[in-house]
């Protein structure tokens, strides 16, 4: 189903509510406005397989654009508005957008863009943006008659760029109409988490990210209400749960940490009993953090592991996780294989590169847009239907998957593999540590050495004297000494994306730039 189905059945029901401002978009409004935009885009010359770029903060209009694309057989590329103008320009050019819709709230960024494109349409909402047409006027002037055909579109999203320039992930367009069953995210996650007309789903993350964007679409396809936060704040999150009677939500582990670090009196003052399912994904969750979340909320915590590439997925519920702490679960999509450096599959317990096998595809299930070399590099040399996004892990004897880190982040010091994730997890709930990133830097003797970049908690930030020694001793008491950071650097903030992923390359590059050239 899609919003048009629910507009006919429950026209006045909120399809979307903005948690802070209280703005509401009903199903009737979502259906009509997305249809008018779809007609406008078609009148402007966009056809099946063309791309609409979206640059926006979290607003109701984002889903008008999303559904206009999906009901027209178009791709939608939602762009991270926290990127630089050069990076945003690159993505809009690389995806080959024929139209772009922007939020006036990002006017400064938009003014700095360099878009050498023959765009058929440029629209802005929420205010005037020079060089862009008025979004509301465009909708008012477009027809509201149903499209003669509504082939299903899809998203064409870009990786977060934590290990290099963002890569566009282009999946084949579905071969059915938007009002026909079969869309993969509805099929996979709708039943798994019990999404239906009674669902009130809280989305605290930026809508340009794959999971928030796609899950919001699933909520609309299944007739629930999407409550969207403008940005995450731990106490405001709890207030939204209590105030809207939220039944489902999806978060990232850093949000768990922020919630757990609230004063107990604050955290327990909010009624969260309406919650039926709390999903987390996007990054590994420290064992102690997840244990405490289950103790607080009960066995309603669900986890899935997947990627924007959608080449495979696993899932695990609370009961399974308590029996297999640290695991990200069993296969949900595709068959996992853990492979050594020689390309040979490893036995249970062996740490290697994680591949997913998708037999239903003749070759890779996705491609990196305009980058056949990178696409080919994701495929196993002997099994083209096995693909990897570069994560490392292992399978236990029962087939449960455990992640150790990204291959690009692994540190090799003195010939020994060190996984930064293990060290970061150790400090996740330390009261003095607000955030931490561990990286390897060049070292003449060891090849690489371990450095920790720490954002201290506010009460420790004014005076960090002795804190490095305290954290070092804390680590030496709990992990092997060769894993303990040899240096700890304190920073006012760390370059973590709003979706919870640490951009370690910026930290490492800045550190290396400060080193003497002879030591690099």
């Amino acid at each position: 189903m899609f919003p048009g189905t629910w507009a006919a059945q429950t026209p006045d029901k909120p399809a979307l509510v903005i948690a802070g401002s209280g703005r509401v978009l009903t199903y009737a409004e979502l259906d009509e406005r997305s249809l008018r935009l779809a007609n406008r885009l078609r009148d402007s010359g966009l056809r099946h397989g063309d791309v609409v770029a979206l640059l926006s903060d979290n607003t109701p209009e984002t889903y008008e654009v999303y559904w206009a694309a999906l009901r027209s057989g178009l791709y939608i590329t939602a762009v991270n508005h926290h990127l630089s103008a050069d990076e945003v320009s690159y993505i809009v050019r690389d995806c080959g957008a024929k139209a772009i819709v922007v939020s006036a709230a990002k006017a400064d960024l938009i003014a700095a863009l360099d878009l050498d494109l023959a765009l058929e349409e440029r629209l802005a909402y929420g205010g005037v943006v020079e060089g862009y047409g008025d979004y509301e006027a465009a909708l008012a002037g477009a027809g509201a008659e149903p499209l003669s055909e509504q082939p299903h579109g899809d998203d064409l999203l870009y990786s977060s760029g934590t290990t290099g320039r963002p890569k566009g992930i282009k999946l084949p367009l579905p071969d059915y109409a938007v009002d026909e069953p079969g869309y993969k995210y509805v099929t996979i996650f709708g039943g798994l988490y019990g999404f239906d007309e009674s669902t009130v789903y809280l989305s605290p993350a930026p809508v340009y990210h794959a999971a928030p964007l796609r899950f919001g679409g699933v909520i609309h396809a299944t007739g629930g209400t999407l409550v969207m936060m403008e940005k995450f704040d731990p106490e405001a999150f709890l207030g939204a749960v209590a105030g809207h009677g939220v039944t489902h939500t999806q978060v990232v582990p850093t949000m768990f940490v922020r919630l757990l670090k609230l004063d107990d009196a604050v955290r327990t003052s909010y009624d969260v009993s309406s919650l039926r399912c709390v999903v987390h994904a996007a990054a590994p969750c420290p064992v102690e953090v997840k244990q405490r979340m289950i103790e607080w909320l009960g066995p309603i915590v669900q986890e899935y592991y997947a990627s924007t590439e959608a080449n495979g997925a696993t899932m695990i519920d609370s009961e399974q996780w308590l029996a297999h702490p640290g695991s990200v679960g069993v296969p949900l999509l595709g068959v996992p294989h853990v492979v050594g450096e020689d390309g040979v599959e490893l036995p249970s317990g062996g740490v290697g590169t994680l591949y997913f096998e998708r037999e239903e595809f003749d070759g890779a299930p996705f491609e990196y847009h305009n980058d056949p070399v990178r696409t080919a590099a994701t495929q196993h040399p002997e099994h083209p239907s096995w693909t990897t996004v570069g994560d490392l892990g292992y399978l236990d004897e029962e087939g449960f998957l455990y992640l150790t880190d990204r291959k690009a982040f692994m540190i090799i010091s003195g010939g020994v593999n060190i996984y930064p994730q293990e060290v970061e997890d150790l400090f996740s709930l330390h009261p003095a540590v607000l955030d931490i990133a561990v990286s390897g830097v060049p070292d003449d003797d060891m090849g690489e050495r371990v450095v920790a970049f720490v954002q201290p908690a506010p009460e420790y930030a004014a005076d960090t004297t002795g804190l490095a020694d305290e954290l070092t001793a804390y680590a030496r008491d709990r992990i092997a000494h060769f894993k303990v950071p040899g240096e700890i650097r304190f920073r006012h903030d760390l370059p973590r994306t709003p979706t919870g992923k640490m951009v370690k390359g910026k930290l490492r590059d800045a550190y290396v730039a400060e080193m003497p050239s002879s030591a690099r």
Side-chain angles (χ1 to χ4, degrees):
M1 297 186 181
F2 82 120
T5 306
W6 302 109
Q9 297 181 21
T10 54
D12 298 327
K13 180 177 181 177
L16 189 151
V17 180
I18 299 298
S21 69
R23 284 186 63 191
V24 174
L25 186 69
T26 67
Y27 269 103
E29 291 169 334
L30 176 57
D31 180 47
E32 180 182 344
R33 290 170 68 83
S34 66
L35 178 56
R36 285 182 179 274
L37 180 57
N39 278 316
R40 171 72 179 224
L41 294 173
R42 185 162 187 82
D43 291 344
S44 298
L46 274 74
R47 295 295 182 266
H48 189 265
D50 285 340
V51 181
V52 180
L54 172 67
L55 183 64
S56 177
D57 46 353
N58 282 12
T59 66
E61 288 86 355
T62 58
Y63 277 96
E64 296 171 6
V65 181
Y66 176 84
W67 281 109
L70 258 65
R71 70 191 302 168
S72 306
L74 304 176
Y75 285 103
I76 181 168
T77 297
V79 186
N80 181 347
H81 59 76
H82 291 92
L83 297 176
S84 68
D86 176 66
E87 291 168 317
V88 172
S89 300
Y90 165 77
I91 290 174
V92 177
R93 291 195 302 265
D94 187 69
C95 74
K98 293 289 184 68
I100 184 170
V101 183
V102 302
S103 168
K106 301 301 168 185
D108 290 344
L109 174 60
I110 296 162
L113 299 182
D114 178 17
L115 302 181
D116 184 18
L117 289 171
L119 289 163
E120 305 292 342
E121 190 71 85
R122 298 179 188 231
L123 296 174
Y125 58 78
V128 176
V129 176
E130 185 177 355
Y132 289 74
D134 182 80
Y135 180 85
E136 292 298 333
L139 264 59
E145 66 278 2
L147 298 167
S148 58
E149 294 182 346
Q150 297 194 99
H152 209 303
D154 210 337
D155 55 56
L156 195 175
L157 303 181
Y158 279 69
S159 67
S160 57
T162 55
T163 58
R165 194 143 202 171
K167 304 179 289 293
I169 294 97
K170 192 170 187 179
L171 309 176
L173 285 175
D175 58 359
Y176 42 80
V178 73
D179 57 353
E180 293 178 334
Y183 192 44
K184 52 187 174 292
Y185 304 118
V186 178
T187 301
I188 294 171
F189 293 109
L192 182 65
Y193 298 132
F195 295 137
D196 59 22
E197 302 97 306
S198 68
T199 297
V200 180
Y201 177 88
L202 179 60
S203 182
V207 74
Y208 59 72
H209 187 59
L213 181 69
R214 290 167 177 171
F215 269 67
V218 171
I219 299 307
H220 291 151
T222 52
T225 294
L226 168 62
V227 179
M228 191 158 60
M229 298 182 71
E230 292 93 331
K231 63 178 181 178
F232 176 76
D233 172 84
E235 188 170 356
F237 175 91
L238 296 177
V241 171
H244 293 277
V246 169
T247 61
H248 295 67
T249 188
Q250 181 173 183
V251 298
V252 296
T254 54
M255 295 176 183
F256 278 167
V257 173
R258 300 294 191 268
L259 288 165
L260 290 172
K261 285 190 174 182
L262 287 172
D263 288 341
D264 286 345
V266 173
R267 184 161 49 83
T268 58
S269 67
Y270 291 91
D271 181 4
V272 296
S273 60
S274 61
L275 284 171
R276 303 200 302 260
C277 181
V278 175
V279 182
H280 73 94
C285 186
V287 170
E288 184 182 357
V289 170
K290 186 161 180 177
Q291 178 74 49
R292 287 184 59 183
M293 290 301 298
I294 294 173
E295 290 172 355
W296 172 27
L297 298 176
I300 63 170
V301 180
Q302 301 265 2
E303 179 177 4
Y304 71 88
Y305 161 69
S307 63
T308 306
E309 289 85 343
N311 67 322
T314 63
M315 65 80 60
I316 191 167
D317 61 25
S318 291
E319 288 82 359
Q320 291 172 316
W321 186 89
L322 290 170
H324 301 269
S327 173
V328 295
V330 292
L332 177 64
L333 179 67
V335 179
H337 301 274
V338 176
V339 173
E341 292 293 332
D342 57 2
V344 176
E345 191 163 7
L346 297 172
S348 299
V351 175
T353 301
L354 173 63
Y355 286 80
F356 279 98
E357 176 184 359
R358 297 285 299 279
E359 292 182 347
E360 67 269 35
F361 291 95
D362 182 16
F366 69 93
E367 65 179 52
Y368 289 129
H369 189 53
N370 293 333
D371 201 335
V373 174
R374 278 186 174 178
T375 301
T378 69
Q379 296 175 276
H380 190 282
E382 296 180 10
H383 305 282
S385 63
W386 296 16
T387 56
T388 182
V389 296
D391 287 334
L392 298 173
Y394 64 93
L395 293 162
D396 68 15
E397 293 182 353
E398 296 180 61
F400 281 80
L401 176 65
Y402 297 75
L403 301 178
T404 54
D405 218 320
R406 296 278 294 179
K407 190 172 185 178
F409 296 156
M410 186 176 72
I411 301 167
I412 304 177
S413 182
V416 178
N417 294 346
I418 300 172
Y419 302 108
Q421 177 189 316
E422 179 184 359
V423 186
E424 293 161 356
D425 287 354
L426 177 70
F427 288 104
S428 61
L429 291 177
H430 191 287
V433 177
L434 185 63
D435 207 356
I436 183 170
V438 174
S439 183
V441 300
D443 184 88
D444 288 340
D445 294 328
M446 304 297 286
E448 287 185 297
R449 56 191 170 85
V450 183
V451 174
F453 302 89
V454 172
Q455 179 182 352
E459 59 269 33
Y460 292 86
D463 183 8
T464 56
T465 304
L467 185 55
D469 290 342
E470 178 186 331
L471 296 178
T472 298
Y474 178 86
R476 289 176 70 88
D477 285 344
R478 290 164 174 82
I479 57 175
H481 290 187
F482 70 86
K483 301 177 185 178
V484 174
E487 180 181 358
I488 295 177
R489 288 199 168 191
F490 296 103
R491 292 173 54 105
H492 293 300
D493 56 64
L494 297 181
R496 190 180 288 276
T497 73
T499 51
K501 295 182 179 180
M502 185 68 70
V503 189
K504 293 186 181 181
K506 290 185 177 181
L507 293 169
R508 187 180 189 278
D509 291 348
Y511 185 100
V512 172
E514 296 174 4
M515 296 174 63
S517 57
S518 59
R520 297 178 192 172

